[in-house]
Amino acid sequence: MTPSEKEIERFRTLTQLPGIAAHEMRVRDYMKTQLSAYSDELVFDGLGSVFAVKRSKKAGAPKVMMSGHMDEVGFVIKQITPKGLLKFFPLGRTWEHVVMAQRVKVYSSLTGQAYPGAVASIPPHLLPEDSARRLLSLDQMLIDIGAESKQEVLDAGLRPGDMIVVDGPFVPLLGGKKLLSKAWDNRFGCALALDVLEAVAGEELDVDLYIGATVQEESGLRGAKTSGYMIEPEVSVVFESSAANDNMGDPEELGQQGKGVLLRYLDRTSITHRGLFMYATGLAERKKIPFQYFMALGGTDSGEIHTARSGCPSITVGVPSRYIHTNSSIMDYRDYVAARDFALAFLRSLDRERYEKEILSYSR
């Protein structure tokens, strides 16, 4: 099972667009264009989250929110040194082990120009033995774009606060089903939102669907809070690329690639509504969609959406991606297909009666 050429092109485009928290403009432009092809109504929150609206003809249809998030983990320029090197600050959770010596792209907010660079590293030949064994912290690292002075950097249009993303090309791996790239967290969710909307565009649903992507997830679930408040969903499905934990070969570890969609029951920011979780797992079993029970130490947009206004049953639906938050994360296309099958089955199965009897009844 491998992706089509159309899917490959969508994956390539989405993963290669730069967009850290509060700098999602290029990703949002793409999402607006694609969502507009299948919906006449787009809504935005004040931070930049974007959703297509597909309304049901059924009176009293439950309001369903489905969303990925546009931002990827990255950095901003913190300071420019007299030698023209860049000090930087992370936006999103980053591990020092995977930053050193990475290639990056630095984007000018003034001109839009991208400048290639590298996270500077000192060769071990130039370090005392005890220093060579110690890992530098992020605030000790610098980015080298080839400039020789602070003025040269300023003349290039770069300023503190400008965006830095890791350079991680999109590459299908051996066999074609595993896909290597930066930013699967969470351009997976963006791609899935577009695929789902396209699939149901010509159908009559028994729900009012709001589907799209939020902003600033990696910096604190900010877009989820504002869009959840705006939409006031009755049920939410969050699309998220989660951490796979299968590459050491232990089949008991959570997050196995190629084994199906992840249905998350617990993480640091939310406990999945029990009625919704039972409905989701029962649906996957009935439809014979491969799925995995999943919990995580991190959090997702569900953490804010499930407490929006008076509360909203919310579940995180994901794929297990290896090496997330690096320039070389890997997604398995088979899991993507399972996630898409689940999202479509969920939309096509839900109506007001099922929502109240099989989901909301657990809260009554």
Side-chain angles (χ1 to χ4, degrees):
M1 181 185 293
T2 58
S4 67
E5 286 301 317
K6 178 181 177 181
E7 289 171 317
I8 286 286
E9 185 56 34
R10 176 170 283 171
F11 292 154
R12 188 191 312 277
T13 299
L14 276 169
T15 58
Q16 296 309 294
L17 286 169
I20 62 172
H23 296 252
E24 299 97 344
M25 296 79 72
R26 295 168 180 84
V27 185
R28 181 166 50 252
D29 285 344
Y30 179 81
M31 292 295 291
K32 286 191 298 185
T33 299
Q34 298 298 309
L35 291 169
S36 296
Y38 302 104
S39 174
D40 294 329
E41 183 181 357
L42 299 186
V43 295
F44 302 83
D45 68 12
L47 297 183
S49 306
V50 56
F51 289 83
V53 183
K54 179 177 172 57
R55 300 187 188 277
S56 175
K57 293 181 179 179
K58 291 283 186 70
K63 191 184 294 185
V64 175
M65 175 179 176
M66 287 185 160
S67 58
H69 65 83
M70 288 179 266
D71 56 312
E72 63 190 287
V73 166
F75 312 93
V76 293
I77 298 175
K78 180 180 178 182
Q79 186 178 350
I80 305 167
T81 73
K83 293 280 288 183
L85 297 168
L86 309 178
K87 294 185 178 181
F88 58 95
F89 185 82
L91 283 185
R93 191 175 181 183
T94 305
W95 196 28
E96 289 87 344
H97 284 77
V98 300
V99 175
M100 180 69 76
Q102 279 197 24
R103 294 187 182 190
V104 298
K105 292 180 180 178
V106 186
Y107 287 82
S108 167
S109 295
L110 292 175
T111 67
Q113 177 70 37
Y115 296 93
V119 180
S121 61
I122 303 173
H125 316 69
L126 304 180
L127 291 171
E129 187 174 348
D130 60 336
S131 298
R133 294 174 178 171
R134 291 200 301 267
L135 181 67
L136 294 179
S137 61
L138 290 178
D139 59 7
Q140 294 174 299
M141 298 181 192
L142 298 164
I143 288 174
D144 189 340
I145 62 168
E148 296 184 339
S149 69
K150 180 176 182 178
Q151 191 59 49
E152 188 176 1
V153 175
L154 294 174
D155 290 345
L158 295 172
R159 299 291 187 273
D162 281 354
M163 172 174 62
I164 304 165
V165 299
V166 295
D167 187 2
F170 175 87
V171 182
L173 297 180
L174 180 66
K177 62 182 177 292
K178 296 199 177 187
L179 308 170
L180 171 71
S181 182
K182 77 173 183 69
W184 279 125
D185 183 6
N186 188 24
R187 304 298 159 68
F188 148 75
C190 295
L192 185 56
L194 296 176
D195 271 1
V196 169
L197 179 60
E198 182 178 354
V200 301
E203 300 179 15
E204 292 299 332
L205 300 176
D206 293 333
V207 300
D208 285 340
L209 174 62
Y210 289 71
I211 187 164
T214 65
V215 295
Q216 299 191 40
E217 191 267 0
E218 298 291 357
S219 60
L221 317 184
R222 293 182 171 96
K225 184 173 185 176
T226 51
S227 57
Y229 192 89
M230 171 186 69
I231 293 170
E232 297 184 72
E234 292 175 82
V235 63
S236 162
V237 178
V238 169
F239 303 143
E240 183 61 90
S241 181
S242 302
N245 195 21
D246 66 337
N247 54 355
M248 297 303 289
D250 185 350
E252 298 303 316
E253 291 288 354
L254 297 178
Q256 301 281 322
Q257 285 204 326
K259 300 299 183 183
V261 59
L262 304 179
L263 300 181
R264 187 180 299 213
Y265 57 89
L266 174 69
D267 64 29
R268 180 176 54 83
T269 61
S270 67
I271 303 171
T272 301
H273 183 277
R274 203 62 196 160
L276 177 56
F277 189 76
M278 297 299 289
Y279 184 83
T281 54
L283 177 66
E285 288 173 349
R286 290 194 307 275
K287 298 295 184 179
K288 295 182 169 44
I289 299 168
F291 75 96
Q292 305 175 61
Y293 291 89
F294 192 72
M295 64 172 290
L297 298 177
T300 75
D301 277 346
S302 282
E304 285 291 347
I305 297 170
H306 85 285
T307 58
R309 293 190 183 262
S310 62
C312 166
S314 181
I315 186 171
T316 298
V317 171
V319 294
S321 296
R322 292 177 177 171
Y323 327 124
I324 60 171
H325 291 201
T326 76
N327 64 343
S328 301
S329 55
I330 298 174
M331 182 184 76
D332 191 312
Y333 178 68
R334 295 170 294 180
D335 300 322
Y336 180 86
V337 170
R340 183 174 61 201
D341 289 347
F342 173 82
L344 290 171
F346 186 89
L347 284 178
R348 290 163 175 162
S349 70
L350 197 62
D351 57 20
R352 172 59 63 184
E353 181 179 7
R354 286 197 180 96
Y355 169 69
E356 293 188 352
K357 287 186 175 180
E358 299 187 40
I359 297 175
L360 201 60
S361 61
Y362 279 73
S363 303
R364 296 292 186 264

